[in-house]
Amino acid sequence: MAKRLNPIELVIFTVVAAGFGYSAYQFLEQRPQFQAQMLAPMTSSPVSESNRSPASVAPLFGSVQFGCKSGQMGSVRASKIRISGPICGMEAHAQRPQLTGTTVVNSANQFQATVFTDLGAGRFSTDYIPLNSDKNAIRLEFKFKDGKTVSHDLLLQRE
C-alpha cells in the first residue's frame, strides 16, 4: 500500500523549513546596519583607561588587637574580624587565677564568638566575627573561679 501525503503535514513542514532557511540566511548575511546599531552606544561614550577606575573591594577578613581597655574604638574595612589580646584580669593576681569562661558578643547582630584561650601565655583569640555595616559594639567578658568578672567594651566602625 502506498502512503499518501497529508496536506496539513506538508504545510507545517514547509513553514518550519522556510523559518529555518530565513534564520540561516540572516545569520550568514550579518547585515552591516545591525552591527552599527549595536556599536552605537560604544562610539558615543567609549571606554578608555583614563576614565576607568578599579572597583573598591573591601577585604573579607581582618584582625583587631585588643588591649584590656574599656571603651576602645577603632575602624575596620573587613566584613569579618578576629579579635586577639591578653586575658584581662589575670595580671592583677600574684598567682594565676583559674579562668572559667570567656564570652565575646557583637551586640549589633547578637553574634557570640567562639573564644580560644592560651592560659600559659595569658592570651585569647576569637573566630571570625561578622560585622554590620556601621557601628559594632563588642563586649568581652572574662569570668574567673573566684567569682570575679572582668568586662570590656570595644566599639568598631565598619567603613
Side-chain angles (χ1 to χ4, degrees):
M1 238 193 212
K3 283 191 165 183
R4 287 188 347 161
L5 199 59
N6 187 347
I8 295 175
E9 289 177 348
L10 183 61
V11 169
I12 292 172
F13 176 76
T14 306
V15 169
V16 170
F20 177 75
Y22 180 75
S23 176
Y25 172 75
Q26 290 294 328
F27 177 73
L28 295 174
E29 178 67 23
Q30 295 183 355
R31 296 185 180 173
Q33 70 270 15
F34 177 72
Q35 289 179 349
Q37 288 175 355
M38 292 297 290
L39 296 176
M42 289 296 291
T43 56
S44 65
S45 62
V47 177
S48 65
E49 293 299 320
S50 63
N51 63 359
R52 289 188 67 177
S53 62
S56 62
V57 178
L60 184 60
F61 299 106
S63 63
V64 172
Q65 291 293 322
F66 179 72
C68 289
K69 290 184 238 166
S70 197
Q72 231 180 320
M73 296 176 66
S75 98
V76 294
R77 292 186 57 209
S79 60
K80 295 181 180 185
I81 57 138
R82 173 174 278 166
I83 301 173
S84 60
I87 297 174
C88 303
M90 290 186 80
E91 63 279 348
H93 293 81
Q95 65 214 18
R96 290 211 184 266
Q98 289 185 337
L99 184 70
T100 58
T102 304
T103 57
V104 177
V105 178
N106 182 356
S107 62
N109 56 16
Q110 302 306 317
F111 181 82
Q112 184 168 351
T114 303
V115 182
F116 307 98
T117 56
D118 181 0
L119 296 176
R123 298 193 58 79
F124 78 96
S125 179
T126 66
D127 61 345
Y128 285 101
I129 302 169
L131 299 177
N132 284 1
S133 64
D134 198 23
K135 293 181 180 177
N136 293 273
I138 299 174
R139 183 153 186 90
L140 295 97
E141 288 186 356
F142 302 95
K143 297 176 185 168
F144 296 95
K145 190 173 185 177
D146 61 1
K148 181 180 175 185
T149 299
V150 178
S151 300
H152 292 289
D153 295 314
L154 172 65
L155 182 63
L156 293 175
Q157 174 78 26
R158 181 173 166 216
E159 298 174 353

